[in-house]
Amino acid sequence: MSDVRTPLFSLDNMGTFDAEGNYTPRVIIDDDLGDADLEQAMGDSIIEFEDGDVIEGTVVKIDRDEVLLDIGFKSEGVIPARELSIRNDVHPEEIVKLGEHIEALVLQKEDKEGRLVLSKKRAQYERAWTTIEKKKNDGEMVSGPVIEVVKGGLIVDIGLRGFLPASLVELRRVRELQPYVGKVIEAKIIELDRNRNNVVLSRRAWLEEAQKEQRGDFLANLKPGERRKGVVSSVVNFGAFVDLGGMDGLVHVSELSWKHVDHPSSVVQVGDEIEVEVLDVDLDKERISLSLKSTQSDPWQEFADSHAVGQLVYGRITKLVPFGAFVQVGDGIEGLVHISEMAVHHVDLPEQVVTPGEELWVKIIDIDLQRRRISLSIKQAAEGGEVSEEYREAFGEHAYDDQGNYIGGFDYAEGEFMPETEAQAAWADFAEELGTPVVVPESLAGSAPPAGDGAAGEGEAGADAGPAVQASAEAPAAVGSVAAAEGAPEA
């Protein structure tokens, strides 16, 4: 067997000679240090850091419980799953991707297993605090996704956990917060305390600033006296707020109705679409005063337009006071019968003449529309006079002269009678059931409406009561009910 030996050297491994025989050695390795010092180059290649430092690295492995990060150290750094994000119960793959370059904070250079322990969320936290403090000082907004619903509000991821109270989520308080989870929102920082790790946000402040210019234009174009449609947004003890389409205006309880209002909820409910009139616009305070009753007809004005001093109206006693009695003579309209106008004789107490709930005729002796006051008289009503037009229909036009004075009833048992109204038909039916004519006694002719079977003139008021006698206490109940239903307003 031949012995094949490899030569110790070959011409390929040697350098070169020039024409003069000078030898140039072969280059073994390139010098890539340039002018740099070798010791410095060696020092630069060694990574030095301490606990709490923020370093950079590349994600090289993702497990369910941890992520490995190559930072150029002798071994990869480990980021436990709980240190990846401020969000709870998320998979590491939802936070980082393979090959992604991220920052991490050194928690421990070497744990009991000799591993380098890192935290991505702590690094993010440190960076976020610096950014957030600057934004707060500059008055800038922050944005981030809503990651959680907690007691009293929402948690927003702005690099750290920002708390957004429920009362500051919208311009008006919202009750259901779950639909906001996952949405990216903008908010203003209203409280910042690094020592307590406390960040409070306000989306409402952001909405208000975002709409400030829009509100300015809205208010500038809103003029007192104009009418707008809106939706009732909330009802409170002192009134109701109405959304006019971008801004809310207040309808004070005194402007909800011409009638007395015990509570605004008795007039309007949240969600009602109503028409309101603008009373006042305060540009400085950005307040709008509205009125609902201004869009409705004024019952006092209507009463004044359809009635005159000296006319007789039918009413119901609502309240007795030491100086007289209040009588309801229309829907939401009450007048006062002073004690001196209750009877021709001296009266010490109103209850000597009338009782609450009693219905009777009264005469209008004064109408003060500006002060919303009507003065009435019972004793003057007994003298007779013109009956207010709305009551004439109940008894038929044939019962009145050209001046509206009552001149007598109709004998339903004789001749042909064609009722003009349901009230007249009811009187005729009642008379037919009794089989007797329904007439007005001569003592009351010219002053009182028909009173069933003729007993109207036999009550306490007698002939002096005049139109104040609507039906005697002795008259059949059916007659009284017809008179109350058709001849007088519902009190």
Side-chain angles (χ1 to χ4, degrees):
M1 186 172 92
S2 62
D3 186 9
V4 179
R5 295 172 178 261
T6 300
L8 296 177
F9 64 90
S10 68
L11 293 177
D12 294 335
N13 293 329
M14 294 182 62
T16 59
F17 295 89
D18 59 16
E20 288 76 21
N22 297 317
Y23 177 72
T24 302
R26 181 177 66 87
V27 177
I28 303 300
I29 187 170
D30 292 332
D31 181 7
D32 58 357
L33 290 177
D35 297 332
D37 183 77
L38 178 61
E39 291 185 2
Q40 179 182 351
M42 292 177 63
D44 292 343
S45 65
I46 299 175
I47 298 176
E48 294 184 0
F49 50 80
E50 300 294 335
D51 292 353
D53 289 348
V54 176
I55 58 178
E56 297 181 358
T58 303
V59 177
V60 294
K61 186 178 181 181
I62 301 175
D63 288 332
R64 182 172 184 81
D65 300 325
E66 62 184 21
V67 169
L68 297 185
L69 191 68
D70 180 9
I71 61 170
F73 195 52
K74 61 183 179 180
S75 62
E76 289 86 2
V78 179
I79 305 178
R82 66 178 181 277
E83 293 295 334
L84 279 171
S85 172
I86 61 175
R87 306 186 193 186
N88 299 321
D89 301 325
V90 291
H91 194 278
E93 289 185 348
E94 299 178 32
I95 308 301
V96 295
K97 303 297 181 185
L98 283 175
E100 183 180 356
H101 195 72
I102 64 173
E103 288 185 330
L105 183 139
V106 179
L107 294 180
Q108 198 172 357
K109 291 181 66 174
E110 189 173 349
D111 64 2
K112 61 183 180 179
E113 298 177 4
R115 302 186 306 172
L116 173 65
V117 183
L118 307 173
S119 172
K120 179 180 180 297
K121 75 176 182 180
R122 304 284 182 91
Q124 184 179 5
Y125 175 85
E126 293 297 325
R127 297 292 188 197
W129 267 111
T130 302
T131 302
I132 288 173
E133 285 175 341
K134 184 178 185 303
K135 286 190 174 184
K136 185 178 187 304
N137 294 334
D138 295 341
E140 298 180 10
M141 304 295 171
V142 294
S143 64
V146 176
I147 60 175
E148 191 177 342
V149 177
V150 295
K151 183 179 180 180
L154 302 169
I155 298 297
V156 183
D157 181 1
I158 54 174
L160 46 83
R161 292 170 69 88
F163 176 63
L164 176 58
S167 59
L168 302 179
V169 174
E170 297 285 353
L171 294 175
R172 291 182 290 275
R173 187 180 180 92
V174 293
R175 296 183 178 180
E176 185 57 49
L177 297 176
Q178 195 62 39
Y180 289 89
V181 175
K183 291 185 178 181
V184 177
I185 64 173
E186 289 192 76
K188 185 176 183 178
I189 305 166
I190 60 175
E191 187 176 333
L192 195 61
D193 189 337
R194 188 164 187 172
N195 294 329
R196 298 170 55 194
N197 191 26
N198 187 33
V199 180
V200 181
L201 308 175
S202 173
R203 183 169 180 265
R204 186 175 71 183
W206 173 76
L207 291 172
E208 288 175 347
E209 291 195 15
Q211 295 181 4
K212 189 172 184 179
E213 183 176 349
Q214 180 181 354
R215 289 201 308 270
D217 294 339
F218 183 87
L219 290 171
N221 294 325
L222 199 62
K223 305 299 181 184
E226 69 174 291
R227 295 187 177 184
R228 292 286 186 99
K229 288 186 177 180
V231 178
V232 178
S233 57
S234 63
V235 178
V236 292
N237 290 334
F238 54 85
F241 287 94
V242 180
D243 185 355
L244 299 177
M247 286 196 70
D248 281 4
L250 173 65
V251 181
H252 191 266
V253 64
S254 62
E255 292 295 332
L256 281 171
S257 174
W258 292 103
K259 303 177 185 178
H260 173 73
V261 178
D262 291 323
H263 192 274
S265 60
S266 64
V267 181
V268 293
Q269 299 290 328
V270 174
D272 288 351
E273 184 175 347
I274 59 175
E275 184 179 38
V276 291
E277 183 174 307
V278 180
L279 296 181
D280 183 58
V281 179
D282 191 328
L283 296 176
D284 295 330
K285 296 181 179 180
E286 295 187 346
R287 292 179 181 175
I288 305 171
S289 298
L290 305 171
S291 174
L292 176 61
K293 74 177 186 181
S294 294
T295 64
Q296 305 165 347
S297 57
D298 181 357
W300 286 85
Q301 184 65 60
E302 289 183 345
F303 187 89
D305 291 342
S306 58
H307 297 78
V309 172
Q311 286 186 339
L312 299 176
V313 291
Y314 198 75
R316 175 183 296 170
I317 305 294
T318 58
K319 183 171 60 175
L320 302 183
V321 291
F323 51 86
F326 285 94
V327 182
Q328 182 176 346
V329 292
D331 189 13
I333 305 294
E334 285 190 353
L336 173 66
V337 178
H338 191 267
I339 196 168
S340 62
E341 291 294 331
M342 286 191 161
V344 292
H345 59 273
H346 176 73
V347 177
D348 293 320
L349 296 172
E351 49 264 39
Q352 295 174 343
V353 181
V354 293
T355 57
E358 180 181 351
E359 297 178 353
L360 73 174
W361 289 95
V362 289
K363 177 178 283 189
I364 302 172
I365 57 177
D366 185 56
I367 299 177
D368 188 338
L369 181 59
Q370 185 174 1
R371 299 171 65 192
R372 309 279 180 179
R373 293 182 179 178
I374 299 175
S375 298
L376 305 170
S377 175
I378 296 175
K379 73 177 183 180
Q380 292 187 43
E383 300 171 358
E386 179 186 355
V387 177
S388 181
E389 186 174 354
E390 72 263 32
Y391 301 111
R392 298 177 193 173
E393 181 184 0
F395 309 114
E397 293 295 336
H398 58 271
Y400 300 89
D401 62 18
D402 294 338
Q403 287 72 43
N405 296 310
Y406 187 81
I407 57 177
F410 186 88
D411 189 344
Y412 294 99
E414 296 182 4
E416 294 184 1
F417 172 70
M418 298 298 294
E420 301 172 5
T421 66
E422 292 182 3
Q424 294 172 26
W427 281 102
D429 291 343
F430 181 73
E432 186 175 350
E433 290 177 8
L434 293 178
T436 58
V438 180
V439 297
V440 178
E442 295 181 0
S443 60
L444 297 181
S447 60
D453 59 359
E458 300 169 9
E460 293 182 1
D464 293 334
V469 179
Q470 124 242 12
S472 168
E474 301 173 2
V479 177
S481 64
V482 173
E486 302 292 346
E490 184 69 9

